[in-house]
Structure formats: C-alpha cells, structure tokens
Amino acid sequence: MARRDDGHASRINTHASPWARAPERPSPGARPAPGRRPDEPQWPEGSWWSEQPGWDERGRRRRREPTRRDVRRREKNRTRRQPERRSAYRADHRAEYRAEAPAAARRREPARGSGRRPPTRPRPGPKARPRGPRMPGDRIGAGALILSAVVGLSLLGIAERTLLDGRPIGTTESVGAGKGARHPKGHATAAPGAQQPHRQAPAASGAPAAPARPDAQALAAQVRKLTLAQRGAAAKQAYGAAPTRAPIVAATRTSADGTWVFGTTAIPVPASSDADPEVAFFAARWTGRDWRIGLSGATAFGTLLGAMPATVMSAAESRALRRYGALSAEQAAAAVNGTGAGDGLMLPWKSGTSWTMLTADPAAARRPLSALAFAGGDGRVLASGAGRLYRFCGDGSGPALLMVVHASGVATVYDRVRSAAQLRDGSVVGRGDPLGRTGTAGACGGAPAARAEVRFDLRRGAAPVPLDGAVIGGWTFSERAKPLLGFAERGLLQVLPGGLIANLGAVPAADAPPSSPAPGDEPGGGAGPAGDPSPSATQNRSPSGANTQQ
C-alpha cells in the first residue's frame, strides 16, 4: 500500500520512500523542461515549488546581460581599432547603432512564473537612447564661440559705417577714410582715398597726434584767445575794467568740407560800463594740422579772404571786407570828413525828421563822442549808406549789433537794435533801408539805457574811427576840450547833447543854416517834419568864435 504524501516535502527530501512512491501525474499543460532528469518531480504550474531552481541550476553562474556602458565601451574599442574607417562610415554607423543599441541593451524578459522581478524600463529622455561616440570635431569650444561672436560684430560694424558714409558695402575703401590710421608703434598713417586736408599728420615722438578733421570747438577756442590777445587791451581801456566774459564767437559761413570758416567775434561789455563793444571779423583755414586764423585789421585776414573759395564768399564781398580790414586811420578820416571820396552818409533815421542826440558822459569817458546815441521819432533805424550788412552778438530774437560795411571801407555800427532785419550776413542794403527798431539793451552786454535809442559808431578793421570832424547827415560832429563837450554843428548852428538834430540826408556840410520852419511846426519828440532844435540846445556862433545862446 502506497504511503500518502503529507505535503511536508522539501526541495531535497520529498519524504517519499523508494518503495512507496506516488504515481506521477503529468500535467496536461506542462512539458518537461529541456535538461531536466526524467525522474525529477514535476510540480504544478504556478506553485511555489515550480518557481524554485532545479538541481541542475545550482552553482551555475547566471549570465549577466550587457549594460549600456558595456555597449559603449565595446563600441569605443572597436572604433579605436579601425581609425581609418571612422570618418567614412560615422554617419551610417550612428544610424545603425541607434537602431541596434536599444535591442542589445534591452534586458531579457523573464519567463512568467520564474520568480524574478522584471527589469525597470529606461526612463524617457535624452539618455533613453544611447548616443554614438563623440568625436573631437563634434564639440565646439568656448574660444571658438567667442571668436565667432567678435568676428560677426566687427563685420556688422564695418557694414554699418560703410552705409553711413554713403559708400557701397563692396568697396575696397577703408571704413576710416578721411581719418588717419594708427600704426602699432604709434605712428600715424594716412587712410587710402582720404583727402589731403583730412589726413592725419605724423606726430612727433611722444607728442599727441593732430586731429584728423577740422574741429569747430578748437577753432572757437583759438578765436577767443586771439581776440583777447589783439583786442583785449583796447577793450579794457574802453570799458574801464578787464573783460569779465569770454568773447562771443559766431561762425556765419563754413565750406562744405569744413576747412574754411568766416565769422564774427566780440568782447562782451561789463554790466557797469556804457562803452561800445569791441568787435571784429575773423577768417580761418584748416591746414591739415591746425587752424590758421586772421582777425580784421591784420595782414592774415586779407590773405585768407583772398584765397577763400567762391562757394563761401563772393569776390565782390571779399574785396569789400579786405578794404575794410586794411583801411588806415588817415584814409578813414578822409572818407568821413569830406576831404576824400566818402560814402554820403546820413543819420540813421528817416530824412527830414529830428531826433534827440545823446553823447557819453564826460565824467565817465575820455571823449564825449566815443558813445553817440539817438532817440525819438518813430523808432525805426535805417541804414546810413549803401553797403553789406553783418550781425554781431545777436541770435535773431533778441537785441543785435549791426554793421554795414560801405564802399570806402568805413563801416557804420548800430547797437541796441531790436527786431533786427532777418537778412543773411553779407547781404547788400541801400541807403535808408530799415534795419530794426530802437531798444534799451545792448546785444554784447553793457548797462541798459534809460530810454529806447540806437547807438551809432564808425569803425574800420583795426579800431573805431573818431567822430570828431565826421560829416554825417549834413552835420559836422566835433569835440571841445575846455570844457569837455561833444556837439554837432552846421554853419552857425550847434546842437549840444540832449538837443534835437534834424536828419538832412546825404548832403555836404554848409555854412548857411537850414531854413527855419513856420512857428508852431516844431515836432514833438522828433516825430514830425524837420524843425529847429530846442532853444536850450541850439547855439549861434559869433564871428569872434564866442558862443552866444540864441
């Protein structure tokens, strides 16, 4: 009788005696695995016993599946053995490796019921698929990236500068055309295609290089310095004190290339002074290294005007300004006192009307006619003669100092003019053309006037022209030393400061006085027709020379 199996068998001893063995019942769905002994018991599928390893599997080394690192190491060794074929089949090999590497690196799925946990699947992402070997040419260093960025920015800057200069991008002219290039040792080299005045001059050893292009700020600074050097002493004597502000420089005309400049300069008058400002013209030329400058009255001024291009100044204007700058004191006196060819000047208001004449205070000035002013009438300031008009210190909206250069070389100056005529410098004006209206503030500084007036003066290139002996508007202006007094006379009539003086137009002086108007026709404040000056300011000179009040 067979012994019943109580189910307490182990893997080694099944508690079945050789003489009492239960009959084997083969499972209808299970087949003996290959390599098993025929007498080995077959356990039901899915039971714990069936999942345990058999006797033939004990001590057997389990075969380890290759990892991705092993696959990469193996592939790397293989590519090192064949360096000559690496570049030829690198692309094809990568595609083949990427297709095969996952299959080679994939773990085997354990059989169902083997008792082993299935391996974890690789995470999705860049590392899910093994990459091929990285070659030295596949990576770009940081130095290469920086070099590429620098070269790109340089090319972009060259193209931008070329477009701004108006040249096509493909031209061979350098970007710094017109600017001197710097040699590595510090020497200046000329840029190809640059004009001669624009080239940078070679600098001496240790000295700073000269600017490659004309500098307007440097020109203004040099003009101010030259103005103070040549006119500073005269301004200090006229003002009674040293100038407190820098000269006012205005470049009225400049050539297209910036190498020729013409303009005006003036030394401002201190607020405590009532003197006329010191003014001058200047002409400048860029030589390639520095500016060559000449003020009116100097020899360099006429030389520069003679060489100035016609695009900057016409030949006729250049001749008039050169005559103005080279006029001597004797020639100017002959032109204004009637002994020489004059300009037929009239007083600066409407002919046939009377204005009040004002002179400088003898206590504050050495000469009473050093500051001559007229006030009254309709306030309209007219040109005393034909000539070319120029503006000093004015900006077009405020007060201005106007100058008209006449054919003889003498210039008439009109200060404290407001609402000045908006004419280009060098424009031709005729006798009697309107210049503006009377004002109280000086364009170049100075103490303001108590009433609206126009300051009147005569000038030549180097200095003011004395009004003593000048014939203007039919009157001869004179000065007397004892007592110090300035007045205007015509024949036996004299007009003292504060009196009315009639503008007789461009007529020569005469001994016979003008006809007196009918009684009651005396203008009020110089607004009406010509009339006699006020009795307090009109004197009748006796044959003996003594002045008796009329």
Side-chain angles (χ1 to χ4, degrees):
M1 182 175 184
R3 187 176 182 178
R4 186 175 58 88
D5 187 7
D6 56 359
H8 292 280
S10 62
R11 293 184 303 174
I12 300 175
N13 187 10
T14 60
H15 300 282
S17 61
W19 55 270
R21 179 173 300 175
E24 297 179 357
R25 294 180 181 181
S27 176
R31 295 181 181 180
R36 292 181 179 270
R37 292 185 303 177
D39 58 343
E40 184 176 359
Q42 301 293 327
W43 306 107
E45 184 178 359
S47 64
W48 181 84
W49 299 102
S50 62
E51 296 179 0
Q52 304 304 319
W55 64 270
D56 57 339
E57 296 180 1
R58 296 169 188 168
R60 185 187 303 173
R61 296 185 62 182
R62 188 183 307 174
R63 182 180 180 183
R64 185 172 59 89
E65 297 294 336
T67 62
R68 285 181 292 181
R69 182 179 298 178
D70 296 338
V71 174
R72 286 197 300 267
R73 187 183 295 111
R74 186 184 308 163
E75 189 66 28
K76 185 176 181 180
N77 295 336
R78 187 172 62 180
T79 54
R80 285 182 178 179
R81 297 191 191 98
Q82 300 176 357
E84 65 278 359
R85 300 175 57 189
R86 179 171 50 192
S87 58
Y89 70 90
R90 183 174 58 184
D92 298 340
H93 178 69
R94 280 186 181 178
E96 180 182 359
Y97 176 77
R98 289 176 181 176
E100 295 178 357
R106 190 182 305 114
R107 296 177 181 269
R108 293 183 179 179
E109 292 292 339
R112 187 176 180 181
S114 61
R116 290 184 297 175
R117 297 181 60 183
T120 306
R121 293 185 178 181
R123 296 180 180 179
K127 294 184 178 181
R129 178 179 297 178
R131 292 178 294 182
R134 181 174 294 178
M135 304 302 175
D138 293 343
R139 70 178 62 169
I140 301 177
L145 291 176
I146 296 175
L147 180 61
S148 302
V150 171
V151 172
L153 292 176
S154 301
L155 294 177
L156 181 61
I158 293 174
E160 181 180 3
R161 184 58 186 270
T162 304
L163 293 177
L164 291 176
D165 291 344
R167 293 180 283 103
I169 298 180
T171 54
T172 59
E173 185 179 0
S174 63
V175 176
K179 297 183 179 180
R182 295 292 301 169
H183 193 271
K185 295 184 179 181
H187 302 287
T189 57
Q195 298 181 2
Q196 181 67 22
H198 290 211
R199 283 189 293 179
Q200 184 176 0
S205 177
R213 288 182 178 272
D215 190 356
Q217 296 182 356
L219 172 62
Q222 294 182 24
V223 171
R224 292 188 184 99
K225 184 177 179 180
L226 185 62
T227 302
L228 292 176
Q230 296 187 7
R231 305 296 176 89
K236 182 177 180 180
Q237 183 178 4
Y239 300 166
T244 58
R245 292 189 297 166
I248 302 174
V249 179
T252 59
R253 266 175 271 179
T254 306
S255 61
D257 56 358
T259 57
W260 288 93
V261 180
F262 172 78
T264 61
T265 177
I267 301 178
V269 184
S272 58
S273 177
D274 193 39
D276 291 331
E278 188 71 25
V279 298
F281 294 106
F282 77 87
R285 179 185 181 184
W286 174 253
T287 62
R289 291 181 54 88
D290 52 10
W291 287 100
R292 184 184 178 189
I293 307 171
L295 295 185
S296 54
T299 306
F301 180 74
T303 304
L304 291 172
L305 286 183
M308 189 166 289
T311 56
V312 180
M313 181 176 295
S314 63
E317 183 181 1
S318 176
R319 286 193 299 267
L321 289 176
R322 280 185 288 169
R323 191 180 302 113
Y324 164 80
L327 194 66
S328 63
E330 293 77 10
Q331 293 173 341
V336 299
N337 61 16
T339 59
D343 300 298
L345 302 178
M346 72 174 191
L347 294 174
W349 64 87
K350 184 178 180 180
S351 178
T353 59
S354 299
W355 283 22
T356 302
M357 183 181 71
L358 305 172
T359 60
D361 186 5
R366 297 186 302 107
R367 303 186 65 173
L369 293 182
S370 61
L372 182 63
F374 302 98
D378 56 1
R380 296 174 59 212
V381 180
L382 308 181
S384 297
R388 293 184 178 272
L389 178 66
Y390 299 92
R391 181 193 305 267
F392 292 79
C393 301
D395 57 357
S397 58
L401 185 147
L402 303 178
M403 176 185 291
V404 178
V405 179
H406 305 288
S408 64
V410 177
T412 52
V413 182
Y414 314 82
D415 194 9
R416 304 181 187 271
V417 178
R418 60 183 179 88
S419 302
Q422 301 298 322
L423 297 177
R424 180 179 179 271
D425 277 10
S427 300
V428 177
V429 296
R431 183 187 295 112
D433 287 352
L435 302 180
R437 304 188 70 85
T438 56
T440 58
C444 303
R451 58 184 296 187
E453 64 182 21
V454 55
R455 298 291 292 268
F456 186 78
D457 193 13
L458 299 178
R459 290 192 66 89
R460 58 187 181 93
V465 176
L467 285 170
D468 186 19
V471 180
I472 304 174
W475 296 86
T476 302
F477 292 85
S478 304
E479 291 177 339
R480 187 172 58 192
K482 295 182 179 180
L484 187 60
L485 182 66
F487 56 93
E489 59 182 353
R490 178 180 172 85
L492 300 178
L493 292 180
Q494 290 183 345
V495 179
L496 303 180
L500 293 176
I501 181 172
N503 182 17
L504 303 179
V507 296
D511 292 337
S515 57
S516 300
D521 292 342
E522 183 176 354
D532 292 335
S534 61
S536 61
T538 304
Q539 294 180 345
N540 189 6
R541 185 174 55 186
S542 62
S544 60
N547 293 328
T548 59
Q549 198 163 30
Q550 183 176 354

